[in-house]
Amino acid sequence: MEKHKVILDIDNAFTIPAQDTDDAMALALALASPEIDLIGITTCGGNCRTHQSTENSLRMLEYAGRGDVPVAAGREDPLILNAEPSLRYLEAKTASCEAVYWDNMPEPIKPTLQPSPLKAHEFIIEMVKKYPGEVIIVKEGSLTNLALALLVEPEIESLVKEVVHMGGFFMPENVDMSGMEFSSPDIP
């Protein structure tokens, strides 16, 4: 069975009360899949701040006994869009009545694993050059890391095998959520 080289670019809000866990599920599935060679994780903001995503990803790798998978932190802010309205909304949700379900949960352990010294965009560039035509970049958060990698090294575009992106959101027509969509800023 051929294993696909994957970089998972995520905004992992695992362990944060009342936040999405889609990225944590994607990471768990990637770690368990016999078809995926997870060559690294890059983190970004979206469901949480980038530093939280980095810590959560390291924590999950530690739980899974997979300290061999590097985690490279991305920028805290997108290149263009102001992320603060979205992040403030999510942080308010964390403190809302939904958080009551987390009252008796112990604090998550601090991971002992350390992030890569490379920034997320540098990690993407390095891996794509190391494995030309083989790397699939799975984007579950903002596109900032990929956009920055392409701005710094535009020639890597032809070296990436595939980009898979999950983004967007749904809200009823009568709710004003302008400025709240943070899955797709900085589309390259």
Side-chain angles (χ1 to χ4, degrees):
M1 172 188 315
E2 178 188 357
K3 292 186 88 152
H4 303 281
K5 293 189 183 317
V6 171
I7 296 173
L8 194 58
D9 191 82
I10 55 179
D11 52 341
N12 187 353
F14 176 67
T15 74
I16 301 175
Q19 297 302 326
D20 293 336
T21 58
D22 57 318
D23 302 271
M25 291 298 297
L27 175 52
L29 290 170
L31 289 170
S33 175
E35 298 174 8
I36 294 178
D37 175 10
L38 187 59
I39 61 172
I41 299 167
T42 51
T43 62
C44 58
N47 290 330
C48 60
R49 296 183 185 272
T50 302
H51 69 274
Q52 293 170 307
S53 177
T54 303
E55 185 173 294
N56 290 333
S57 298
L58 290 167
R59 182 180 293 113
M60 285 187 68
L61 291 172
E62 195 160 308
Y63 289 155
R66 291 295 307 272
D68 60 306
V69 178
V71 177
R75 290 172 52 99
E76 283 291 338
D77 299 309
L79 300 174
I80 300 169
L81 182 72
N82 177 8
E84 281 307 307
S86 175
L87 291 167
R88 281 195 308 270
Y89 166 76
L90 292 170
E91 288 164 351
K93 197 171 113 175
T94 299
S96 74
C97 61
E98 292 180 49
V100 72
Y101 300 111
W102 291 73
D103 281 351
N104 295 318
M105 296 297 292
E107 283 292 316
I109 63 160
K110 285 280 187 198
T112 58
L113 295 175
Q114 295 297 308
S116 167
L118 294 175
K119 295 176 180 150
H121 74 280
E122 296 168 335
F123 182 82
I124 291 170
I125 292 167
E126 185 174 289
M127 291 297 103
V128 168
K129 286 182 171 182
K130 183 175 181 178
Y131 304 109
E134 296 182 56
V135 177
I136 299 170
I137 302 171
V138 178
K139 310 279 306 146
E140 287 209 30
S142 70
L143 295 168
T144 304
N145 294 331
L146 180 58
L148 192 52
L150 290 167
L151 285 171
V152 171
E153 298 270 352
E155 66 276 3
I156 69 163
E157 178 187 0
S158 63
L159 303 177
V160 175
K161 179 177 181 177
E162 187 175 358
V163 175
V164 178
H165 176 243
M166 180 186 80
F169 77 114
F170 167 80
M171 286 301 293
E173 290 180 25
N174 61 345
V175 177
D176 179 17
M177 294 291 286
S178 56
M180 294 299 182
E181 205 308 299
F182 188 50
S183 293
S184 304
D186 300 330
I187 294 176

